Amino acid sequence: MTRIHLAALVALSFFVIPGWAQQADSSLLSVQRIYGTREFRSQSFGPARWLGDGSAYTTLEESEADRGQNLVRYDSERGAREVLLSARQFIPQGDTLPLRVEDYAWSPDMKMLLIFTNTQPVWRLNTRGDYWVLERSNGRLRKLGGPEAKPSTLMFAKFSPDGDRVAYVRENNLYVEDLASRSIRPLTTDGSRTLINGTFDWVYEEELMNYYADGWRWSPDSRSIAYWQLNADQVKDFPLINNTDSLYSQILPVQYPKAGEANSAARVGIVRASGGPTRWLEIDGDPRNHYIARMDWAAGSDEVLLQRLNRLQNTNQVMVGDARSGKVRTILTERDSTWVDLVDNLTWLNDGKSFTWLSERGGWNHAYLVSRDGKSIRPITRGNFDVVKVVGTDEKGGWLYFLASPDHPSQRYLYRSRLDGRGTPERLSPRAESGTHTYDAAPNFRYALETYSSFGKPPIIRLVRLPRHEVVRTLIDNATLRSRLAMLRKGSSEFFSIPAVNGAKMPAMLMKPADFDSTRRYPLLLHVYGGPGSATVNDAWGSYYLWHLMLTQKGYLVASVDNHGTPAPLGRAWRKSIYGQLGVVETRDQATAARSLSRRPYVDAGKIGIWGWSYGGFMSLNSLFQHSDLFSTAVAVSPVTHWSLYDNVYTERFNGLPGANKAGYDRGSPLTYVNGLKGNLLLIHGSGDDNVHFQNSEVLINALVTANKPFTMMEYPNRTHCVCQGKNTQVHLFDLITRYLEQHLKGGPAQPQVRDRAAAGGS
């Protein structure tokens, strides 16, 4: 009996853990803490709207008492706070809870508020929903669209400039609703699945409109509306198959033009807001082999300005169209041997006699002032640096405000230059605050809402006074998040550069473990995107920072390197060197970076892995297949595997037409190199991916099977490109990747070492 009792006590000593030991170490991260809780959520702010010239602004603030949001006005200078609309005023008649305001807009006289709520995604963004108008004078709240409008079907509603009406898109037709009489007038009636008025098809939204598919504009005099119409009757469907939501499979057809396939035919028309026939602009050329990529009124109600790309997207014609006659003339043409970029934030100056423009015509992205007839093109900014983004144009003061970073491509700062082109750019962001600064400038440019973050440090949002950049007050400090981050174990991080084969300096970043010991050797994981759409070496608060930090806590080095072709502000030649051979130069650069890092004495050169998503998945596959001497493990999430399988607008912009460049398509494809796979591959894809179709992974799987190459595969049923739908999906995904790395990279057998370890590389 005694022995049994003692044995039981011994057993209990193994399984009953003291209370102090049961408490999780708050300095250590886990996938559950990062993706399964809201512990590291940033504070929210806005949306904010400037009022008048910028002397005040409004923003939404949570009202816990009313389980909704208050709309609050702040005086910019003094900070005086006034609740303009309380959460209770957002409660519809007969309901008990306020509307959840997801976006809003003021009427020009601020007597009415347009509310966007109950939103649903079309593709990437929630651009359809319900719109309500609230009248401040009497508190009346009413829903737009009339009884025929189904829930969440209105899109891109906007007040007319005179404030009397609201126009919107519903099920591919345009409508105008009179706010006094509540009458609704259809401006188009021919909308269908393939005839699209006032919005766009999948590829226009994804690749040309920055995901925001607003396809119509009020004229400044409120009398007319200019809008796009797309005819998608020749665009083939790519069916997505849902096998899990019913007993039998369901098919979702998506209009998706793959590389080399037929596009929608786009045209622009002007219709009276009171109704009547549409006047179509008379634009020469095959509309299915051109893109009308930008359109807006040209500083008045008589003409519209268009940006039209050819099929190869190496020519951008800036056109002016007459709203009455439909006649069109070209005033400016941008050409490039590779591709040309579209221009946003174009501003008319001098009573419509000139406009601002961005161009790489001199080798760097710079701002220009162009006359209305296009005969005069005068530089505003000069120098060996890129204008990353135009923040705004202060015509009265004579300044152009823009973001740039001449010395550090991973950072962003506010500059201004004289509109007359004289002098040198003036940096306004504080030199003591390195990192990334973005701005929403007031119309009078006396104030701006600044968002500032740096690597590992979450954003702070401040109201600053321009041009001296004096902080008026801090609006969001993320103090709670900062205190939680301060408790985490973390090592040092460094930003540096690695020389490419051609001598160009590739931006790089390296995170080290908290207990880093330079005499030890650590496994190295590279995070890559590598494509024209995004850079990963950013001195800013980032989406994967916490997971990468968790890996350093587990004993990994984590690095990222921006290769040629990424949108780093390093000049035209850097960005466009990848043309016609997507994947070739980029893979060479990533291998060069891995080889350089492997020479550092604390890197275990036999345990170098790479992971990425989308283009980054494509890059991870290429790196593993082509450079098995460097990479032992790769994780590819939602990868493109051959560019003929992707959409035509994106692919042809960077790779040309598949019929004319088959060799370039094949040379950059991981399918060409599957026989080179010698290490560990984890392939992840959502079967409901409407962007990079699951077909890409299926084709790769067939190639790997044919080559008799072992690999690990995870399919997430019906998840889209983000692999984020459904409870615990993100937790499951990152748990899966973490376990795979622990088993195959950190714990896997060492591969043959790179012999030349003499130089560490980097600068």
Side-chain angles (χ1 to χ4, degrees):
M1 291 289 294
T2 304
R3 288 184 179 178
I4 295 174
H5 180 65
L6 289 174
L9 288 176
V10 171
L12 284 172
S13 71
F14 281 96
F15 293 102
V16 179
I17 303 173
W20 60 267
Q22 293 182 48
Q23 296 178 2
D25 186 345
S26 61
S27 70
L28 297 179
L29 287 165
S30 67
V31 169
Q32 178 63 32
R33 286 183 73 186
I34 298 169
Y35 293 104
T37 72
R38 300 167 71 88
E39 182 180 358
F40 297 102
R41 185 183 64 161
S42 294
Q43 287 178 269
S44 62
F45 175 74
R49 299 285 183 268
W50 291 107
L51 301 181
D53 64 354
S55 58
Y57 62 90
T58 57
T59 187
L60 290 168
E61 294 180 351
E62 294 295 325
S63 172
E64 294 184 7
D66 298 312
R67 292 189 292 174
Q69 304 143 290
N70 295 328
L71 190 61
V72 181
R73 177 190 184 276
Y74 283 94
D75 182 274
S76 297
E77 187 63 32
R78 299 188 303 275
R81 179 181 182 272
E82 177 188 2
V83 177
L84 295 183
L85 295 168
S86 69
R88 289 188 295 274
Q89 292 176 270
F90 297 136
I91 301 176
Q93 186 175 3
D95 209 336
T96 58
L97 293 176
L99 298 172
R100 188 69 193 173
V101 182
E102 298 179 55
D103 203 357
Y104 67 92
W106 289 104
S107 62
D109 59 8
M110 280 195 64
K111 293 182 179 179
M112 291 180 287
L113 185 75
L114 182 64
I115 299 165
F116 188 38
T117 187
N118 192 29
T119 67
Q120 297 293 328
V122 175
W123 297 114
R124 286 288 188 105
L125 302 181
N126 286 26
T127 50
R128 62 183 178 92
D130 297 330
Y131 283 92
W132 298 67
V133 168
L134 191 153
E135 298 180 44
R136 292 180 64 196
S137 61
N138 54 26
R140 183 185 303 155
L141 179 66
R142 53 191 176 91
K143 190 177 181 181
L144 299 180
E148 295 183 1
K150 302 171 188 175
S152 300
T153 56
L154 270 60
M155 304 174 69
F156 312 117
K158 295 187 281 286
F159 282 114
S160 58
D162 61 16
D164 293 339
R165 290 152 293 168
V166 171
Y168 46 79
V169 174
R170 176 166 65 84
E171 297 180 299
N172 290 342
N173 277 312
L174 269 164
Y175 297 84
V176 171
E177 185 163 341
D178 187 278
L179 296 175
S181 67
R182 304 191 66 175
S183 63
I184 300 174
R185 182 183 300 276
L187 300 185
T188 66
T189 57
D190 54 0
S192 67
R193 181 175 181 269
T194 57
L195 199 64
I196 304 165
N197 296 298
T199 185
F200 299 99
D201 62 4
W202 186 95
V203 76
Y204 256 77
E205 175 179 327
E206 176 75 16
E207 307 298 2
L208 292 171
M209 297 300 162
N210 301 322
Y211 312 133
Y212 191 69
D214 179 1
W216 69 273
R217 308 286 185 266
W218 275 108
S219 64
D221 63 8
S222 300
R223 295 180 179 178
S224 302
I225 284 175
Y227 69 98
W228 275 269
Q229 183 188 78
L230 268 63
N231 185 344
D233 62 352
Q234 294 185 28
V235 178
K236 294 179 182 178
D237 286 338
F238 189 92
L240 300 179
I241 302 174
N242 181 341
N243 289 319
T244 63
D245 289 347
S246 62
L247 187 60
Y248 290 89
S249 299
Q250 297 176 346
I251 305 297
L252 174 65
V254 179
Q255 294 165 330
Y256 190 105
K258 289 183 180 282
E261 296 293 317
N263 276 310
S264 294
R267 59 179 178 172
V268 167
I270 292 89
V271 63
R272 301 287 293 180
S274 57
T278 295
R279 168 69 69 184
W280 299 105
L281 297 184
E282 300 171 4
I283 304 174
D284 293 335
D286 182 358
R288 296 189 189 277
N289 285 311
H290 291 84
Y291 306 104
I292 302 176
R294 294 290 182 272
M295 180 273 291
D296 211 334
W297 292 92
S301 300
D302 297 326
E303 295 182 321
V304 293
L305 189 79
L306 313 176
Q307 294 181 51
R308 186 178 78 149
L309 299 171
N310 62 338
R311 177 78 183 236
L312 288 175
Q313 299 171 70
N314 57 17
T315 303
N316 183 4
Q317 291 176 279
V318 182
M319 299 176 164
V320 173
D322 188 285
R324 292 185 178 86
S325 69
K327 300 297 182 182
V328 173
R329 65 187 187 277
T330 299
I331 62 170
L332 177 67
T333 302
E334 287 281 351
R335 292 186 175 89
D336 196 289
S337 59
T338 59
W339 71 87
V340 291
D341 293 312
L342 295 166
V343 176
D344 293 309
N345 299 326
L346 180 153
T347 302
W348 288 95
L349 303 174
N350 194 21
D351 294 325
K353 296 177 182 177
S354 58
F355 58 90
T356 58
W357 186 251
L358 289 177
S359 174
E360 292 179 330
R361 59 180 56 202
W364 298 87
N365 199 42
H366 277 300
Y368 295 82
L369 191 65
V370 181
S371 62
R372 192 179 184 96
D373 59 9
K375 294 180 179 179
S376 171
I377 304 174
R378 182 169 50 79
I380 299 173
T381 59
R382 296 180 176 88
N384 293 338
F385 69 93
D386 285 310
V387 172
V388 175
K389 180 182 179 180
V390 172
V391 173
T393 305
D394 177 13
E395 183 176 15
K396 183 178 180 181
W399 295 99
L400 179 82
Y401 289 79
F402 60 93
L403 297 182
S405 187
D407 302 317
H408 303 284
S410 63
Q411 301 170 347
R412 299 291 183 270
Y413 301 104
L414 180 64
Y415 286 79
R416 68 174 184 172
S417 285
R418 299 291 311 179
L419 284 172
D420 60 15
R422 298 177 181 176
T424 58
E426 176 186 359
R427 174 169 162 170
L428 304 182
S429 300
R431 294 194 176 275
E433 294 181 344
S434 61
T436 297
H437 302 252
T438 61
Y439 298 83
D440 176 7
N444 61 9
F445 291 91
R446 289 185 58 196
Y447 305 98
L449 296 171
E450 176 212 22
T451 301
Y452 166 54
S453 73
S454 57
F455 189 75
K457 296 180 181 179
I460 57 174
I461 300 176
R462 304 180 291 203
L463 179 68
V464 297
R465 190 181 296 109
L466 298 178
R468 297 180 64 182
H469 210 282
E470 299 163 328
V471 176
V472 179
R473 58 186 168 275
T474 298
L475 308 176
I476 294 292
D477 60 10
N478 270 310
T480 300
L481 176 56
R482 286 173 180 268
S483 66
R484 289 172 179 167
L485 292 171
M487 297 173 63
L488 299 177
R489 292 184 62 201
K490 58 176 72 73
S492 63
S493 301
E494 61 173 308
F495 285 81
F496 55 103
S497 64
I498 294 175
V501 171
N502 64 357
K505 293 183 177 181
M506 298 187 291
M509 177 277 300
L510 178 67
M511 300 172 66
K512 297 176 181 178
D515 56 354
F516 176 74
D517 181 349
S518 62
T519 65
R520 291 181 54 193
R521 295 167 68 201
Y522 298 88
L524 170 67
L525 179 68
L526 273 77
H527 172 227
V528 63
Y529 182 78
S534 181
T536 54
V537 182
N538 300 310
D539 191 359
W541 179 248
S543 57
Y544 297 121
Y545 168 75
L546 289 171
W547 184 64
H548 287 159
L549 179 61
M550 185 197 79
L551 293 179
T552 67
Q553 293 177 347
K554 292 178 178 291
Y556 295 84
L557 297 162
V558 177
S560 192
V561 179
D562 280 335
N563 48 251
H564 283 83
T566 55
L570 293 169
R572 175 197 172 278
W574 165 272
R575 291 185 289 274
K576 296 189 172 178
S577 59
I578 62 171
Y579 181 74
Q581 49 180 350
L582 287 181
V584 176
V585 175
E586 306 97 296
T587 302
R588 182 189 67 196
D589 281 354
Q590 290 297 323
T592 298
R595 188 170 291 110
S596 174
L597 290 168
S598 73
R599 295 180 184 129
R600 296 192 175 195
Y602 48 80
V603 173
D604 187 337
K607 295 183 178 180
I608 298 179
I610 188 168
W611 91 279
W613 204 304
S614 193
Y615 203 109
F618 162 78
M619 288 294 300
S620 298
L621 294 171
N622 266 327
S623 298
L624 182 65
F625 294 175
Q626 296 183 48
H627 298 281
S628 58
D629 60 322
L630 289 170
F631 299 99
S632 68
T633 302
V635 178
V637 186
S638 306
V640 174
T641 59
H642 195 285
W643 287 107
S644 64
L645 305 176
Y646 197 57
D647 77 65
N648 56 8
V649 176
Y650 181 97
T651 303
E652 294 168 11
R653 179 188 304 152
F654 305 120
N655 235 21
L657 291 166
N661 187 30
K662 183 180 184 302
Y665 276 67
D666 291 342
R667 192 163 56 247
S669 169
L671 301 177
T672 304
Y673 308 101
V674 291
N675 285 322
L677 173 59
K678 296 178 182 178
N680 312 298
L681 171 62
L682 172 59
L683 178 63
I684 299 171
H685 216 130
S687 68
D689 193 335
D690 60 279
N691 184 4
V692 179
H693 299 145
F694 185 55
Q695 173 192 44
N696 283 267
S697 284
E698 291 179 307
V699 171
L700 174 62
I701 290 167
N702 277 343
L704 290 167
V705 170
T706 299
N708 196 27
K709 296 292 183 178
F711 63 98
T712 302
M713 167 71 188
M714 178 64 191
E715 173 191 352
Y716 284 92
N718 302 324
R719 272 65 167 192
T720 64
H721 194 55
C722 66
V723 195
C724 58
Q725 294 81 15
K727 183 179 179 181
N728 282 331
T729 295
Q730 291 270 284
V731 173
H732 189 279
L733 184 148
F734 281 97
D735 259 335
L736 170 66
I737 299 175
T738 303
R739 290 196 310 272
Y740 192 84
L741 294 175
E742 288 284 274
Q743 180 180 356
H744 294 282
L745 180 60
K746 184 180 178 184
Q751 302 295 315
Q753 302 296 309
V754 176
R755 292 181 179 178
D756 181 10
R757 303 180 62 88
S763 62

